[in-house]
Amino acid sequence: VDPAKWRSLMGAFMAAADVHPAVAAGKAGCIGYCLGGQSCFEQLRAGHAIQALVSLHGLLHSRPMVEGLPFWDPLQRISAEEYAQRIQPPPSAMTPGCIVLVENGADDEHVPEDMQKEWIKEMDGSGVDWRFTNHARTPHGFALAPGVVATSYMEAADRRSTLSMLGAFAEAWPHVEQHHVTRNASGTIIPYAIPTSAEL
């Protein structure tokens, strides 16, 4: 894992999207599930021009798995000290003013309490505007649709996460009207729209 290369790749994707005719230049957010959440946090650490970040059951750091184990174990990660010494990640810029929303399952074994505390310390150390929701008795993969690999779909957590995400977007872009969709990508019913100042 090379975080400098990772951040550069995410930056290249953003640059390509920014010139697309359907994109409102200067308005950008990122949404990530699991590894995608990790990628979003690397964008934040890189200082990319994003106004909102939403991680759904995403890992909070990018430390690789311990090598040399008899079997592949994503729960065994190298320490922060080894990561700094061996991987040597570039300094974090932390995007100023970005609204950061984490939707996490309280029973997600991939995001243990010590990882959460470490992440909060990192975010607070840089003055990041963050919000962290732990969904009761909810496992990893709760927002993945039934039938998707690694899904542990939980309707209530997925619905609440979607509404929370739309609320974060309304805060980040208050003058952009949101068009109500009745279902999200997992097919979960979204019962109401989130108003923005454009609609008030």
Side-chain angles (χ1 to χ4, degrees), residues 2 16 21 40 60 68 88 97 104 112 115-116 132 146 158 169-170 178 195:
D2 182 346
C40 289
L60 306 177
Q88 298 180 344
N104 185 65
M115 184 189 292
Q116 295 178 36
F132 197 109
D158 185 41
F169 291 167
Q178 289 190 14

Side-chain angles (χ1 to χ4, degrees), residues 136-147:
R137 297 170 298 281
T138 299
H140 186 72
F142 67 83
L144 298 177

